[in-house]
């Protein structure tokens, strides 16, 4: 280890170059963007623009980024920066640690006392200490804010001007340097808490004044930034992105913690974009990306705060999410009926099946149709057309009858619904996998993920406090369900071999749902062949179902069975909607003497040991020899498996904890050998 001697902040060409990155005029030459937030020519400019104060846990992509940030902050506060210490590796001379301090830190050396230069050092304690961490970023480890001398505008007069050579060098800087400027621009916050003086920072949230920036209450931007910095420090695999306008105003935010990132690997095949807060104009402009776990519980896959319901904001959000899941697109995306969402998904997830939430459509029926004459009858006809038709021709006939009979041909909402029918009507979606998020039966609903935690008037600061409480509750529910599924055997209610088979595999909740289908096999009283084409047979299964008014009616279900391929497909498409076979398909298998559900119809994502044995992104074992982020992600996934196993019992916990301690000791041995 070597220590670099103290030096002033601006003596060399390189340091002048770093200084120039804070200069408003020079920035304008590079970016051609408004630079009010960086104008340091007149002390604190109008609007009280100031940089976020340094805090423990802040991270920067490089030493230069960290230095530039602290230097700009110092200018705004009214003091100069000096590099007090630097630490380098012996062999590579690569810098790995540094202390930046106020230029008034310390006192003059004895040999300099007789010089004519006026004494300016006061032993000022203000400083930041930082070093490179495992992620190869520079992290702030220690901060002292207090100064023991006056701060003010006169400090700026002592800052050296840039020479023409440095200015020319800066103007020809690379794209990487421009990107660095934008990185620490993200730290600019005004006294109101939301970017430059032009940004809206009123007492309440407005929705029309600034459609291209995040409209927040005073201080909300600071709360967001502090919250994200804290999570980044305490959450090992935490990821976030902040999007700013050219004027430095906060526009969009995305974040995802380590638990949610792990869930993306397991349950990112089907995603519901919950934009309830956006579409209903809540105080907190929240969008949640939601999946469903192996217990049928909803899980969070990421969160965003958006400036508005625009294609640009949604596109940015989806690209941010895609960045942290290694570019793996979901199989199915379920959203509200929104043109902006359609545009964004078509751009970011062109290969995914984009479907509209039937649950949200049904919730809007009273609002959209409530003013019509004969509303009750129209609603019943609508529900019947949506949920009871099994073939496209039946749906078309039922819909045509409804609009003609009740004279609603010109109803705008019904007309637009019909145009979009291929994205929401169950009869058109039988080849789409929903994993239980389809709500394709009457009465099923998709509740907002943060229901009961965020309401229309919930301020953002309050939501950030409740966010972790909500996730803790969800994680606890999942852990308890894991323990219950592993440690107890469900009660069998029939002598059907299918029930016994899957009672050993499925989680408790998913088994209950499948068990209901097994029980309902007894309401199917007839299984007959309709058509035979080689190994393919079409069966007709008759079922007595409970209809309106507690009366029983008989419905016919066609089931295709391919004996040679062990394939069975029912016209109700229960398997694609919910992920397990329906009573009609089970009847056909039973009729043909099949005693076990074929393996292709037993999804791994419903198994009680799924998270213990499934490793997301198997391809990551081909690890790049220099990609530190890839190393981290692979180690994290592997460690997560040990955590899942270790939570089963106290004995498992002790073994897992000992394994971690042994592994850490072995890693330290390698580190000592390298030193």
């Amino acid at each position: 280890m070597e220590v670099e001697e103290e030096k002033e902040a601006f003596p060399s060409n390189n340091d002048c170059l770093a200084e120039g990155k804070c200069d408003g005029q020079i920035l304008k030459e590079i970016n051609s963007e408004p630079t009010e937030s960086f104008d340091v020519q007149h002390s604190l400019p109008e609007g009280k623009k100031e940089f976020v104060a340094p805090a423990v846990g802040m991270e920067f992509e490089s030493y230069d980024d960290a230095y530039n940030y602290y230097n700009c902050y110092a200018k705004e506060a009214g003091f100069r920066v000096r590099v007090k210490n630097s630490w380098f590796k012996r062999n590579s001379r690569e810098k790995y640690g540094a202390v930046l301090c106020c230029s008034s830190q310390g006192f003059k050396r004895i040999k300099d006392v007789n010089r004519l230069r006026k004494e300016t050092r006061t032993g000022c304690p203000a400083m930041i200490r930082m070093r490179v961490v495992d992620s190869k970023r520079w992290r702030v480890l220690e901060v002292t804010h207090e100064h023991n001398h006056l701060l003010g505008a006169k400090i700026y007069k002592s800052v050296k001007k840039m020479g023409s050579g440095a200015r020319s060098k800066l103007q020809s800087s690379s794209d990487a340097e421009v990107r660095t400027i934008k990185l620490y621009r993200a730290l600019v916050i005004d006294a109101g808490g939301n970017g430059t003086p032009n940004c809206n920072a009123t007492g309440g949230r407005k929705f029309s004044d600034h459609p291209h920036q995040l409209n927040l209450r005073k201080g909300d931007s600071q709360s967001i930034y502090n919250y994200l910095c804290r999570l980044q420090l305490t959450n090992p695999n935490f990821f976030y992105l902040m999007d700013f306008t050219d004027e430095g105003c906060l526009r969009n935010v995305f974040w995802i913690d380590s638990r949610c990132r792990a869930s993306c690997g397991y349950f990112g095949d089907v995603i519901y974009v919950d934009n309830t807060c956006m579409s209903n104009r809540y105080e907190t402009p929240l969008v949640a990306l939601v999946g469903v776990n192996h217990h049928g519980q909803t899980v969070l896959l990421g969160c965003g705060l958006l400036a508005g319901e625009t294609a640009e904001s949604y596109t940015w959000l989806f690209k941010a999410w895609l960045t942290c899941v290694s570019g793996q697109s979901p199989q199915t995306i379920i959203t509200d009926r929104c043109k902006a969402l359609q545009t964004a998904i078509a751009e970011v997830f062109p290969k995914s099946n984009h479907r509209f939430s039937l649950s949200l459509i049904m919730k809007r029926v009273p609002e959209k149709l409530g003013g019509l004459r004969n509303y009750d009858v129209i609603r019943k006809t609508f529900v019947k057309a949506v949920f009871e038709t099994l073939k496209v021709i039946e749906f078309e006939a039922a819909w045509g009858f409804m609009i003609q009979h009740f004279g609603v041909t010109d109803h705008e909402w019904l007309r637009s619904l019909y145009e979009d029918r291929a994205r929401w009507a169950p009869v058109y979606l039988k080849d789409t996998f929903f994993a239980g998020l389809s709500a394709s039966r009457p009465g099923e609903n998709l509740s907002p993920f943060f229901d009961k935690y965020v309401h229309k008037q919930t301020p953002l600061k309050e939501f950030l406090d409740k966010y972790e409480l909500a996730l803790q509750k969800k994680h606890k529910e999942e852990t308890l369900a894991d323990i219950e599924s592993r440690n107890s055997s469900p009660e069998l209610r029939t002598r059907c071999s299918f029930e016994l088979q899957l009672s050993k595999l499925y989680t408790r909740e998913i088994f209950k749902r499948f068990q209901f289908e097994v029980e309902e096999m007894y309401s199917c009283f007839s299984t007959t062949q309709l058509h035979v084409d080689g190994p393919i047979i079409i069966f007709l299964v008759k079922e007595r179902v409970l209809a309106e008014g507690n009366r029983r009616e008989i419905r016919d279900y066609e089931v295709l069975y391919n004996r040679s391929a062990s394939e069975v497909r029912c016209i109700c498409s229960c398997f694609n909607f919910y992920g397990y076979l329906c009573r009609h398909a089970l009847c056909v298998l039973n009729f043909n003497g099949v005693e076990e559900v074929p393996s292709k119809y037993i999804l791994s994502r419903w198994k009680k040991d799924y998270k213990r044995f499934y490793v997301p992104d198997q391809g990551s074992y081909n690890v790049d020899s220099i990609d530190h982020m890839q190393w981290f992600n692979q180690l994290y996934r592997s460690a997560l498996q040990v955590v899942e196993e270790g939570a089963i019992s106290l004995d498992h916990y002790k073994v897992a904890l000992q394994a971690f301690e042994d592994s850490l000791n072995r890693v330290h041995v390698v580190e000592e050998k390298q030193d």
Side-chain angles (χ1 to χ4, degrees), residues 17 26 29-30 164-174 177:
L17 183 62
I26 302 304
E29 291 174 8
I30 295 177
S164 58
R167 184 182 296 272
S168 174
K169 184 177 180 181
L170 183 59
Q171 288 175 338
S172 62
S173 63
S174 66
E177 289 173 316

Side-chain angles (χ1 to χ4, degrees), residues 269-295:
D269 50 351
V270 181
I271 293 179
Y272 168 49
V273 180
D274 180 5
N275 66 336
T276 305
C277 297
M278 296 294 297
S279 58
N280 293 303
R281 303 173 86 77
Y282 278 34
E283 187 76 16
T284 299
L286 175 71
V287 176
L289 305 181
V290 181
V292 60
N293 67 11
H294 53 318
H295 300 289

Side-chain angles (χ1 to χ4, degrees), residues 1 53 76 123 158 202 240 246 261 291 312 359 396 545 576 649:
M1 177 182 75
E76 292 288 0
S158 66
T202 59
Y240 78 90
D246 291 339
R261 290 188 77 173
E312 292 77 16
S359 173
E396 298 282 354
V545 298
N576 277 336
S649 69

Side-chain angles (χ1 to χ4, degrees), residues 137-290:
R137 292 185 179 183
W138 282 77
R139 178 179 294 171
V140 176
L141 302 178
E142 183 181 352
V143 176
T144 301
H145 291 292
E146 295 76 17
H147 295 262
N148 62 2
H149 56 92
L150 294 176
L151 303 177
K154 291 183 179 180
I155 296 295
Y156 293 116
K157 295 182 180 179
S158 66
V159 176
K160 294 184 178 181
K161 299 295 182 181
M162 291 183 64
S164 58
R167 184 182 296 272
S168 174
K169 184 177 180 181
L170 183 59
Q171 288 175 338
S172 62
S173 63
S174 66
D175 289 341
E177 289 173 316
V178 175
R179 200 159 51 242
T180 298
I181 293 169
K182 292 188 176 181
L183 172 65
Y184 68 81
R185 282 186 69 175
L187 297 171
V188 180
I189 304 288
D190 72 351
N194 197 28
T196 66
N198 295 326
C199 297
N200 180 40
T202 59
R205 183 169 183 241
K206 297 182 180 180
F207 297 91
S208 57
D209 294 349
H210 302 276
H212 301 298
Q213 70 185 52
L214 202 56
N215 293 305
L216 302 170
R217 291 178 180 268
K218 183 177 180 180
D220 277 351
S221 288
Q222 184 70 58
S223 296
I224 294 170
Y225 185 74
N226 291 343
Y227 177 73
L228 296 179
C229 281
R230 180 172 64 81
L231 279 184
Q232 189 176 43
L233 185 63
T234 59
N235 203 289
N237 207 20
F238 181 76
F239 176 93
Y240 78 90
L241 285 175
M242 302 179 82
D243 178 33
F244 290 79
T245 66
D246 291 339
E247 292 76 26
C249 294
L250 185 59
R251 180 163 49 195
N252 302 302
V253 183
F254 169 78
W255 74 95
I256 179 171
D257 64 32
S258 57
R259 196 76 186 253
C260 296
R261 290 188 77 173
S263 293
C264 288
Y266 293 120
F267 310 115
D269 50 351
V270 181
I271 293 179
Y272 168 49
V273 180
D274 180 5
N275 66 336
T276 305
C277 297
M278 296 294 297
S279 58
N280 293 303
R281 303 173 86 77
Y282 278 34
E283 187 76 16
T284 299
L286 175 71
V287 176
L289 305 181
V290 181

Side-chain angles (χ1 to χ4, degrees), residues 406-437:
F406 298 106
V408 291
T409 307
D410 297 328
H411 193 281
E412 179 60 27
W413 187 68
L414 288 175
R415 184 191 60 77
S416 65
L417 264 188
Y418 182 74
E419 290 176 356
D420 292 335
R421 63 193 181 282
R423 289 186 184 268
W424 63 268
V427 73
Y428 292 94
L429 308 179
K430 293 180 179 180
D431 292 326
T432 302
F433 180 66
F434 286 95
L437 285 173

Side-chain angles (χ1 to χ4, degrees), residues 33 59 105 109 114 156 178 198 211 224 240 257 263 266 297 316 391-392 446 462 467 502 529 662 670:
E33 295 177 351
E59 289 191 358
Q105 188 270 346
R109 292 171 292 186
N114 294 326
Y156 293 116
V178 175
N198 295 326
I224 294 170
Y240 78 90
D257 64 32
S263 293
Y266 293 120
Q297 303 165 336
W316 181 89
K391 298 180 180 179
V392 170
L446 279 176
E462 183 181 331
Y467 169 83
L502 295 188
Q529 291 186 10
D662 293 343
V670 175

Side-chain angles (χ1 to χ4, degrees), residues 73 88 103 108 141 154 169 202-203 230 250 288 336 339 344 444 483 492 502 509 519 521 534 553 562 566 603 629 646:
Y73 164 74
F88 296 81
S103 61
K108 266 189 179 181
L141 302 178
K154 291 183 179 180
K169 184 177 180 181
T202 59
R230 180 172 64 81
L250 185 59
D336 193 5
K339 292 296 183 184
E444 293 180 337
I483 294 172
L492 301 182
L502 295 188
E509 177 57 34
E519 291 181 281
M521 286 174 63
E553 65 179 39
N562 186 332
S566 297
L603 298 183
M629 185 57 69

